[in-house]
Amino acid sequence: MATLPAEVLARRSARRRRREAIVTHVCLIIGVLIFAFPIYLAVIGSTHSASTIGRGDVPLLPGPDAVANYAQAWGTGGGRFMGVPAGGMLINSLVMATLIAAGKIAISLTSAYAIAFFRFPLRMVFFWLIFITLMLPVEVRIIPTFQVMVSLGMTNSMQGLVVPLIASATATLLFRQFFLTIPDEYVEAAKIDGAGPLRFFVDILLPLSRTNIAALFVILFIYGWNQYLWPLLIVNDRSLETIVVGLTKMIGSGDSQNEWNVIMATAMLAMLPPVGVVLLMQRWFVKGLTETEK
Amino acid sequence: MRRTFFRGVGLPYLLLAPQLLVTAVFFFWPAGQAVYQSFLREDAFGLSSEFVGLENFIDVLSDRDWRGAAARTAFFSISVAALALSAALFLAVQADKHIRGAGAYRTLLIWPYAVAPAIAAVLWLFMVHPSIGLFGRALNAMGVPWDYKLNGDQAMLVVILASAWKQVSYNFIFFLAGLQGIPRPVLEAAAIDGAGPVRRFWTVVFPLLSPTAFFLLVVNLVYACFDTFGVIHALTQGGPGKSTETLIYRVYTDGVTNLNLGSSAAQSVILMILVIGLTVVQFRFVERKVHY
């Protein structure tokens, strides 16, 4: 086999590399489009009138009715029988998601602190009791948990939406893991300076945990916002409706005469806060996700 | 291991109390209740109940409808997991390459994580609706009789696609983190030894990713079994007929609509055993078997 000059080889491999890069770009662009297209279509749907969509002339370019549709979705809601304004539902979702995230973080921080920095009887028993709740997702025990809620009179209330969901084995594990990496010298120094355990917790541990708390908050906020089965069961007072459940109630059996324009506008409003959180806090989000699940 | 501790016995219990209280009231009480009820049967008026041993379980396990739902759940979960994992792995391998705009691609592939399953279902419904959806109409115009509200197979296809669509970004994030953890010298050594990109992927990259892949497989199966309730509830309500009714959907309908508590409790207990099994498998295998 004749040897080719180095120049020719170099040019060839450069060409091959460029070709590979193009293939990579094409694959990724197709992937991105597959994820973006349903959203694009929802945006388009939210800018046309109900009759345009109902006729089935699905347009591919924005229409003139965006302002009217979003105003209706926000202020009065859609659906032929009972409209619930998206504004109120968004506030409910925001309150629920924030309280769930904050509650999970608060009680997990304190319980991880107790387990990592104290010695007391039954320590490991409590740790395992928290740990095994990993194996009991809310969906699995949904009906008996609902019965407990009924006996406690907690249905149809914001506490009912939030409190049962704030126990968190994953957050406790994550904080415990992190606390174990904090050197003993910190504790010794605190003791020498006469700082008690609560002072140590507030002045040293919390500031050190800042990034972990932020990362976890992003994940848990989205977890709370996207709850479905639980609010569907617990709440039938429509003033407590969350946006995700309220949205699917607008659809009913998926009739083509639905006000699809308002439904799509509501869908956009329902997606905006969690997607915004992911995009704005991407770094923390990825950190939180990959660390909590391991 | 920590050697220095704070003294005090009351304080740690106080710190643990909120978590333990919520756990006891909303996890262990209902779970115990489910186990207890699964051994009881109420009379037709709900006035009294008697101990029936394993009868509820035997009834559930021999119920033709329940078995159908179990088989359907298996098919559905495996399809969702296979689709979501393979698509995510493919995209992660592409996004891990040194190309211009890699960061932008990552961002654009990550955000669907934030979309709730039920909202993913609404978006898909708007695309595949037989009379107003872009693709639904196109299929019908091409002569394909498309109506997921009448055709069970089509309904199954739509819920699988919508559920997988939502899960890809999650898997993508983990695969990408796994890929970035593979030491470059290993890949370079393989390249110098003459292994092409495909060979490098299957003999070096994939084995190194197998712990991630296995972890994700379990997470995806759990997601497909339980979190997809929203997708199914919003898209098909388990129909047409029972063609998209999964086990968790059945627990919901038996408990809420049919108020058959003994049976619903027995089904819940079976599902708990399933999750416990999956979790145990995950913890055992991630530690040991699947390694390089």
Side-chain angles (χ1 to χ4, degrees):
Chain A
M1 204 171 115
T3 32
L4 291 163
E7 218 178 292
V8 178
L9 278 177
R11 219 177 307 137
R12 245 188 223 177
S13 85
R15 218 181 306 141
R16 204 188 56 215
R17 224 171 303 141
R18 204 171 324 131
R19 216 170 33 228
E20 273 173 23
I22 290 171
V23 173
T24 307
H25 278 290
V26 169
C27 291
L28 285 170
I29 288 169
I30 291 172
V32 167
L33 287 180
I34 288 175
F35 287 103
F37 189 73
I39 308 280
Y40 176 75
L41 218 55
V43 174
I44 298 301
S46 71
T47 62
H48 285 274
S49 68
S51 55
T52 311
I53 301 171
R55 268 203 311 277
D57 299 330
V58 194
L60 276 173
L61 291 172
D65 302 310
V67 177
N69 291 342
Y70 281 92
Q72 192 192 336
W74 181 274
T76 53
R80 277 166 301 161
F81 306 110
M82 35 181 187
V84 178
M89 295 196 289
L90 281 169
I91 291 171
N92 289 337
S93 283
L94 187 70
V95 172
M96 177 179 76
T98 311
L99 288 177
I100 288 176
K104 271 180 185 280
I105 289 173
I107 70 173
S108 301
L109 269 171
T110 57
S111 46
Y113 178 52
I115 288 170
F117 286 91
F118 290 87
R119 274 282 127 108
F120 53 93
L122 298 179
R123 194 174 67 106
M124 285 324 272
V125 173
F126 290 136
F127 178 70
W128 284 104
L129 281 179
I130 296 169
F131 182 77
I132 58 175
T133 59
L134 268 185
M135 300 179 189
L136 296 171
V138 65
E139 284 81 6
V140 174
R141 56 192 163 82
I142 190 80
I143 305 296
T145 314
F146 176 73
Q147 291 168 328
V148 168
M149 298 297 289
V150 174
S151 12
L152 293 175
M154 280 177 77
T155 55
N156 263 328
S157 66
M158 187 51 85
Q159 304 92 283
L161 277 177
V162 172
V163 176
L165 299 182
I166 64 172
S168 180
T170 42
T172 310
L173 289 174
L174 176 77
F175 284 126
R176 175 183 168 267
Q177 211 64 27
F178 171 65
F179 290 165
L180 291 180
T181 66
I182 291 173
D184 277 327
E185 285 73 18
Y186 280 60
V187 185
E188 282 154 17
K191 281 184 166 176
I192 291 166
D193 291 346
L198 282 178
R199 185 79 194 274
F200 178 78
F201 181 66
V202 174
D203 285 350
I204 297 176
L205 219 50
L206 285 187
L208 285 174
S209 313
R210 249 193 344 241
T211 43
N212 281 310
I213 292 174
L216 214 53
F217 188 87
V218 179
I219 305 295
L220 296 176
F221 180 84
I222 294 167
Y223 164 86
W225 187 277
N226 290 349
Q227 281 304 313
Y228 188 79
L229 182 50
W230 187 244
L232 182 71
L233 270 182
I234 289 300
V235 166
N236 50 43
D237 179 351
R238 302 218 81 191
S239 67
L240 276 170
E241 197 86 274
T242 58
I243 188 104
V244 178
V245 175
L247 175 69
T248 61
K249 283 191 183 165
M250 289 166 77
I251 293 172
S253 58
D255 202 279
S256 55
Q257 300 309 313
N258 277 347
E259 287 183 285
W260 288 102
N261 53 341
V262 182
I263 293 175
M264 286 302 132
T266 311
M268 294 311 298
L269 294 173
M271 265 184 291
L272 218 53
V275 172
V277 166
V278 164
L279 292 181
L280 292 176
M281 303 176 77
Q282 192 181 331
R283 199 168 51 87
W284 276 330
F285 161 68
V286 172
K287 177 182 155 61
L289 197 63
T290 45
E291 281 178 13
T292 42
E293 299 283 0
K294 285 232 162 128
Chain B
M1 210 55 227
R2 186 167 299 288
R3 282 165 289 112
T4 321
F5 295 93
F6 284 111
R7 242 166 291 150
V9 174
L11 186 62
Y13 289 115
L14 213 61
L15 290 168
L16 270 169
Q19 177 93 275
L20 288 175
L21 193 69
V22 176
T23 306
V25 175
F26 300 107
F27 284 76
F28 292 120
W29 182 11
Q33 195 80 0
V35 173
Y36 175 67
Q37 280 175 354
S38 66
F39 292 110
L40 298 180
R41 182 161 298 165
E42 286 191 335
D43 64 23
F45 308 102
L47 296 174
S48 66
S49 50
E50 56 166 342
F51 182 80
V52 293
L54 291 173
E55 226 169 275
N56 284 322
F57 290 95
I58 293 163
D59 283 358
V60 166
L61 290 173
S62 57
D63 179 3
R64 190 184 284 262
D65 284 347
W66 189 86
R67 286 186 181 189
R72 209 173 296 121
T73 307
F75 173 75
F76 170 75
S77 306
I78 293 168
S79 308
V80 169
L83 205 59
L85 284 169
S86 51
L89 180 57
F90 178 76
L91 289 169
V93 168
Q94 307 304 320
D96 188 43
K97 290 179 181 164
H98 289 284
I99 51 163
R100 205 172 301 171
Y105 284 125
R106 276 172 216 168
T107 305
L108 288 171
L109 289 168
I110 279 174
W111 63 265
Y113 174 82
V115 179
I119 296 181
V122 173
L123 298 177
W124 277 78
L125 187 151
F126 194 58
M127 289 197 295
V128 300
H129 193 285
S131 53
I132 62 154
L134 184 67
F135 296 128
R137 272 175 62 86
L139 283 170
N140 280 316
M142 286 189 305
V144 182
W146 171 269
D147 190 344
Y148 70 91
K149 284 191 272 183
L150 298 176
N151 182 318
D153 293 338
Q154 293 176 356
M156 184 52 105
L157 180 68
V158 176
V159 288
I160 289 174
L161 287 174
S163 306
W165 180 85
K166 189 251 165 313
Q167 188 65 6
V168 169
S169 56
Y170 180 92
N171 300 341
F172 173 81
I173 293 164
F174 278 90
F175 275 134
L176 195 58
L179 284 168
Q180 286 167 346
I182 294 176
R184 291 283 145 191
V186 176
L187 293 175
E188 281 157 18
I192 291 168
D193 286 348
V198 176
R199 178 103 189 269
R200 274 206 300 276
F201 177 77
W202 289 113
T203 58
V204 181
V205 176
F206 192 72
L208 284 170
L209 273 184
S210 65
T212 309
F214 188 78
F215 156 79
L216 284 176
L217 176 67
V218 177
V219 171
N220 278 250
L221 289 177
V222 172
Y223 160 80
C225 284
F226 304 113
D227 288 347
T228 54
F229 175 86
V231 177
I232 294 168
H233 190 252
L235 257 173
T236 62
Q237 279 103 34
K242 291 186 179 302
S243 53
T244 52
E245 187 189 69
T246 56
L247 289 176
I248 189 71
Y249 204 87
R250 209 176 152 74
V251 169
Y252 170 76
T253 43
D254 273 356
V256 176
T257 322
N258 306 337
L259 291 170
N260 187 347
L261 291 181
S263 167
S264 173
Q267 292 181 45
S268 285
V269 172
I270 294 171
L271 288 183
M272 279 184 221
I273 294 169
L274 180 72
V275 187
I276 291 171
L278 278 171
T279 316
V280 169
V281 165
Q282 177 179 341
F283 277 90
R284 303 227 80 177
F285 277 74
V286 168
E287 304 269 296
R288 290 189 208 146
K289 275 261 169 72
V290 190
H291 244 290
Y292 23 97

